[in-house]
Amino acid sequence: MESFNGSLRDECLNTHWLETMAEAQEKIEAWRLDYNDSRPQQALKELTPSEFAQKCRAKKRSADVTYAGNQLWQWTYKPQRFKSAIS
């Protein structure tokens, strides 16, 4: 998150003089689209965020298990909820 915030600040907000809210929304949206669709991210194994999300959606979702910090979370698809396996 800190990397994203830094990139947004350095590459978008500090490089444009934004005079209106509409102009700010336009510039930020253009930057967001570029960030998500054109730029590979090292943390995502050199995939763009859009490619990574698409790849994740393509995987079977029925019994995925994810570690979040020291807690084990089980993801269930129907309905979409996170359930703690530690509770």
Side-chain angles (χ1 to χ4, degrees), residues 4-15:
F4 172 82
N5 287 340
S7 295
L8 175 62
R9 169 70 56 195
D10 293 342
E11 299 168 12
C12 183
L13 301 177
N14 287 347
T15 60

Side-chain angles (χ1 to χ4, degrees), residues 32-75:
R32 185 189 68 80
L33 292 172
D34 177 63
Y35 185 89
N36 284 334
D37 298 332
S38 303
R39 298 170 40 171
Q41 305 293 318
Q42 185 177 11
L44 302 178
K45 298 182 180 180
E46 299 303 321
L47 295 172
T48 66
S50 295
E51 291 169 334
F52 183 78
Q54 193 172 38
K55 193 173 184 179
C56 288
R57 283 191 295 268
K59 289 183 179 180
K60 186 176 180 182
R61 298 178 175 181
S62 61
D64 290 346
V65 175
T66 305
Y67 291 93
N70 293 331
Q71 296 183 352
L72 177 67
W73 294 87
Q74 182 178 5
W75 185 69

